[in-house]
Amino acid sequence: MAGTPGRDPRGGPGICYLLGSLMAGLLAPGAVAFNLDVMGALRKEGEPGSLFGFSVALHRQLQPRPQSWLLVGAPQALALPGQQANRTGGLFACPLSLEETDCYRVDIDRGADVQKESKENQWLGVSVRSQGPGGKIVTCAHRYEARQRVDQILETRDVIGRCFVLSQDLAIRDELDGGEWKFCEGRPQGHEQFGFCQQGTAAAFSPDSHYLLFGAPGTYNWK
Ligand SMILES: *[C@@H]1O[C@H](CO)[C@@H](O)[C@H](O)[C@H]1NC(C)=O
């Protein structure tokens, strides 16, 4: 499920429906959704204007106890204290319950080093995928910006994008987990090379579940 950052779905009511196994997640002006299964619909609410429901994924946790989650991206969610930004986006985890307001924000992406990055409007939660029951989770911020020589004449700002991998219980547990999934960092910069990768506009696990796939539509931009 890829986002299209060009459109402006702001002002959507921030509501996400789960219809049995069928999801119609994104409500935005110009788009309509309807319920096929009105009896078994689950409804979850997020903050207005946060684009809650821009991406959704079902996930099954097995340890320490079995639990099913609806993972919801809200790429315009307000920043957390310490992220040195106004809007960063975020990932929310909702139990499969009838309660509408029991989603919590998954605790990833704390802080920011303004000498080397900017998380303002980075769109964390633009994409989210589960590897399957007991597997990993991936979510991305395709507008994450790497910076160099901040406040100097030759300052650079590269919208490389970035992804986070989480363990099956939505926590950071092993060396694969965390937010160091930035494959355009350290490569030749500039918008015509790897400086505008926008990694994570889409993300997926390969069908055999052994690989992570990332869309990076800005790589070699404007060639
Ligand atoms: C937050 O918003 C204010 C007002 O629009 C703006 O001046 C400021 O630069 C923003 N902060 C960041 C980190 O971009």
Side-chain angles (χ1 to χ4, degrees):
M1 181 178 302
T4 39
R7 98 193 130 186
D8 184 7
R10 227 165 274 193
I15 293 171
C16 171
Y17 292 90
L18 170 64
L19 320 159
S21 62
L22 177 69
M23 277 169 280
L26 177 62
L27 285 186
V32 286
F34 61 91
N35 284 349
L36 292 175
D37 178 1
V38 269
M39 302 303 287
L42 284 190
R43 181 183 153 128
K44 300 288 178 184
E45 283 197 30
E47 285 296 314
S50 68
L51 300 189
F52 183 83
F54 193 88
S55 62
V56 287
L58 284 167
H59 176 70
R60 181 113 178 112
Q61 166 184 328
L62 301 177
Q63 299 286 337
R65 64 197 154 75
Q67 164 122 34
S68 294
W69 297 102
L70 176 64
L71 302 174
V72 181
Q76 288 283 285
L78 295 176
L80 299 168
Q83 282 187 308
Q84 317 250 17
N86 299 304
R87 282 186 190 274
T88 54
L91 178 69
F92 289 80
C94 312
L96 295 189
S97 64
L98 292 175
E99 178 65 48
E100 290 185 14
T101 55
D102 57 355
C103 302
Y104 79 91
R105 189 162 177 166
V106 182
D107 185 17
I108 50 173
D109 200 20
R110 280 194 198 169
D113 180 352
V114 293
Q115 291 306 311
K116 45 183 259 204
E117 62 185 357
S118 169
K119 298 182 177 179
E120 178 69 3
N121 210 15
Q122 65 173 352
W123 282 63
L124 178 59
V126 67
S127 53
V128 60
R129 286 295 181 100
S130 164
Q131 194 180 12
K136 299 278 187 191
I137 293 144
V138 62
T139 186
C140 300
H142 72 300
R143 290 174 50 93
Y144 168 85
E145 225 179 87
R147 294 188 173 180
Q148 290 180 0
R149 298 180 292 273
V150 174
D151 292 333
Q152 299 172 35
I153 297 169
L154 296 176
E155 177 174 335
T156 57
R157 300 180 171 188
D158 296 306
V159 186
I160 57 173
R162 174 189 198 182
C163 297
F164 288 80
V165 170
L166 303 174
S167 276
Q168 55 98 35
D169 57 349
L170 316 186
I172 290 174
R173 299 246 173 252
D174 61 38
E175 69 281 0
L176 289 178
D177 297 346
E180 291 310 312
W181 293 81
K182 298 181 272 191
F183 64 69
C184 289
E185 192 172 53
R187 296 190 191 227
Q189 289 170 273
H191 60 262
E192 75 284 5
Q193 296 214 55
F194 296 92
F196 213 85
C197 281
Q198 298 184 310
Q199 174 192 349
T201 306
F205 291 92
S206 61
D208 66 5
S209 280
H210 288 150
Y211 294 94
L212 268 166
L213 311 173
F214 299 108
T219 312
Y220 281 89
N221 211 3
W222 302 333
K223 272 238 155 134

